[in-house]
Amino acid sequence: MRRLSLWMRAHPMAGDSLLAALLLMADLLLLLVDSLTPHPTAPPWYVAIPVDLAMALPLVFRRRYPLTVACVALVAATVHGALDLGVGSLGAVIALYTLLVYVGRRQAAYYLAGLVLTSAGLLAFTRTSGSIGGAIITLLVFAFCWVLGEFVGARQAYHKEVEARLHLLETERDQASRIAVAEERGRIARELHDVVAHAVSVIVVQADGASYAVRSDPDLAQRAVETISRTGREALAELRRLLEVLRNNEDPAAEPRIPQPDAESMEELVDRVRQAGLPVRLDVEGGLGGLPAGVSLGVYRIVQESLTNTLKHAGRGARAEVRIRRGPQVVEVEVIDDGAGKARQLVPVGTALPGGNGLIGMRERAHVYGGTLDVGPAPGGGWRVRATLPVRLAS
C-alpha cells in the first residue's frame, strides 16, 4: 500500500484520471437510471453525455492548470444544475479544493463566492420543495471542502519547509566537507614543503661547500657553484611563497614545525598505540626503507589516523592489525580491527560513508599520490581501512 501511495504521488495525473473516471461513471450511471424511469424534464442523452464529459475530463489536469480547470468546472456545474443532471457540482467542489491547496486562499475565496452565487441562483431558478435543505447541504459540502483544503495545504507547506531545511543541511554538509578537504590539502602541502625544502637546503649547503673544494679552474667552478647555490635559494624562496598562498591567512601560531615522521617510524607509532591500551599486531613485508618521502609520510599518516579511529570507536577490548606490503610498484596498507564496540558493525558492508574529517584526510592523502582508499565494515565484523600508494622510485 505504501508503494502504491508513493507511485501515485510520483504520478499525480494517474490519480486524477482515476478520480475523473469515477465521477464520469457515477454521472453516466445516474443518467442511465433516469432513462429507465422517464422524466419529463430530462435532457436527451446526446446533450447529457457531452456535458458529463466537460465536467469530468478537465479534472485530469487540475494540478497542472488549476485556474483553467476551475473555470471549466464552474461552467459545467452551472449547466449540470440547470439541466438537473447527476453529480456535476462535485467537479466544482474538487476544483475549489485544488485552488485552495495549489494556488492560494484569495483565488479560492473568489471561486467559492462564485460557487455560492451560482448555487443560490440555481436554487432560486428551480424552486424545488427541498431548496432549503439543498442549500444547507451545499453549504456544508463547501465548508468541508474548504477545511480539508486548509489541512492538506498546511501539510504540503510543512513538507516543503522540511525539504528546504534538509536541502540546506545537505548544502552545509557539502560545504563542511569541502572545507575539510581544503584544510587537509593545506596540511599535505605544508608537509610536502618541509620534505622538498629539506632536500633543497641540503643541495644549497653542499653547493656552498663544493665552491670552496674545487681546485681546477677555480673561477669557472666558482661561478657554476654560485649559480647552483643561487638557484637553489630562489627555489626555496618560491616554495615558501607558494606555501603562504596555500595557507591563506593561516594562524602562524597554529602548529609548531617539527621533523615529519615516515614509514620507518611505524614501530614507534604502534608502540605508542599499545601504550594507550589498544593491542596492535604489526606485519610488514618488503621493508619500508627507501620510499619516496611523500609516500612514506602518507603511509605513516594513514596508519596513524586508522589506529586513532580504532581507539575512539572500536570499543573496549578491541584489537587491531596493521599489514603493510611493499611491492615493486605499490605499497599496500591495511588496518583491521575486530570491532569489539558493536555500534560500527550495524552499517552494512559496502554502504557509502560520508566520512568525518579523518576519513576525508586519508582519502585526500591517498589521492594526492595517485593511490586509492577503501574504508568500511569488514565482512567478518569490525572495521577495515585499505590503501594503495604507487611507489615512484627515482631513476
Side-chain angles (χ1 to χ4, degrees):
M1 192 65 184
R2 178 177 176 82
R3 184 176 298 177
L4 176 62
S5 175
L6 293 175
W7 186 88
M8 294 288 285
R9 182 176 296 180
H11 303 82
M13 287 190 66
D16 294 337
S17 300
L18 179 61
L19 177 62
L22 292 176
L23 282 178
L24 183 61
M25 290 175 58
D27 225 25
L28 292 178
L29 183 61
L30 290 176
L31 180 62
L32 178 62
V33 172
D34 288 342
S35 66
L36 296 177
T37 57
H39 194 278
T41 61
W45 64 269
Y46 54 82
V47 175
I49 291 180
V51 175
D52 289 341
L53 292 175
M55 177 272 300
L57 291 182
L59 295 178
V60 176
F61 308 97
R62 67 185 184 91
R63 304 189 205 201
R64 183 171 297 180
Y65 310 106
L67 287 173
T68 303
V69 171
C71 294
V72 174
L74 180 60
V75 174
T78 304
V79 175
H80 262 259
L83 297 178
D84 195 17
L85 291 174
V87 291
S89 60
L90 287 181
V93 171
I94 294 173
L96 173 63
Y97 165 84
T98 304
L99 284 178
L100 187 60
V101 174
Y102 296 100
V103 180
R105 288 193 183 93
R106 177 180 297 180
Q107 293 84 349
Y110 291 153
Y111 190 74
L112 177 60
L115 279 178
V116 171
L117 291 176
T118 303
S119 301
L122 289 175
L123 289 174
F125 176 76
T126 55
R127 295 182 180 179
T128 57
S129 57
S131 297
I132 298 177
I136 294 175
I137 293 175
T138 301
L139 290 176
L140 289 176
V141 171
F142 290 163
F144 174 76
C145 174
W146 187 276
V147 172
L148 182 62
E150 287 282 357
F151 175 75
V152 176
R155 283 185 60 85
Q156 288 194 354
Y158 172 75
H159 289 159
K160 289 181 180 179
E161 180 67 20
V162 171
E163 290 176 358
R165 292 188 179 185
L166 288 176
H167 179 70
L168 180 61
L169 289 175
E170 291 176 356
T171 303
E172 291 178 351
R173 183 192 64 186
D174 294 340
Q175 290 177 348
S177 297
R178 286 194 292 269
I179 291 173
V181 168
E183 291 178 349
E184 186 61 27
R185 286 178 177 175
R187 179 183 174 187
I188 295 172
R190 291 194 298 271
E191 294 173 349
L192 288 176
H193 168 268
D194 291 339
V195 173
V196 177
H198 173 72
V200 174
S201 299
V202 170
I203 293 173
V204 172
V205 172
Q206 291 179 349
D208 289 340
S211 65
Y212 297 102
V214 175
R215 292 293 179 267
S216 62
D217 198 359
D219 293 334
L220 179 61
Q222 181 74 23
R223 289 195 299 269
V225 172
E226 288 176 354
T227 301
I228 294 173
S229 177
R230 183 173 61 254
T231 303
R233 294 181 190 278
E234 290 174 355
L236 183 59
E238 182 65 21
L239 284 173
R240 286 173 177 167
R241 187 191 65 80
L242 178 60
L243 177 61
E244 293 300 325
V245 173
L246 291 175
R247 284 179 174 177
N248 191 20
N249 298 328
E250 183 187 42
D251 183 7
E255 293 182 2
R257 287 185 171 272
I258 58 175
Q260 296 294 339
D262 54 22
E264 294 183 275
S265 306
M266 198 64 63
E267 282 285 357
E268 299 176 6
L269 172 63
V270 170
D271 287 340
R272 288 199 303 269
V273 175
R274 288 170 181 160
Q275 293 173 5
L278 176 66
V280 182
R281 179 174 177 266
L282 177 61
D283 183 9
V284 179
E285 182 179 316
L288 299 178
L291 286 173
V295 175
S296 180
L297 177 60
V299 171
Y300 182 91
R301 292 300 190 197
I302 290 173
V303 174
Q304 181 185 43
E305 184 64 33
S306 301
L307 293 177
T308 300
N309 288 338
T310 300
L311 280 171
K312 290 180 180 178
H313 304 296
R316 299 183 61 182
R319 305 177 67 87
E321 182 176 359
V322 178
R323 303 170 186 167
I324 303 177
R325 301 287 183 269
R326 178 180 178 179
Q329 300 297 328
V330 297
V331 176
E332 298 182 358
V333 181
E334 189 174 32
V335 182
I336 303 176
D337 66 64
D338 58 10
K342 304 298 181 183
R344 298 193 305 177
Q345 298 183 22
L346 298 177
V347 183
V349 176
T351 302
L353 299 171
N357 291 351
L359 294 183
I360 292 174
M362 287 192 291
R363 187 182 303 121
E364 289 300 315
R365 192 175 294 278
H367 289 176
V368 79
Y369 297 111
T372 61
L373 181 75
D374 181 21
V375 181
W383 201 255
R384 182 182 69 175
V385 176
R386 187 175 185 274
T388 60
L389 297 175
V391 177
R392 297 184 177 89
L393 295 177
S395 57

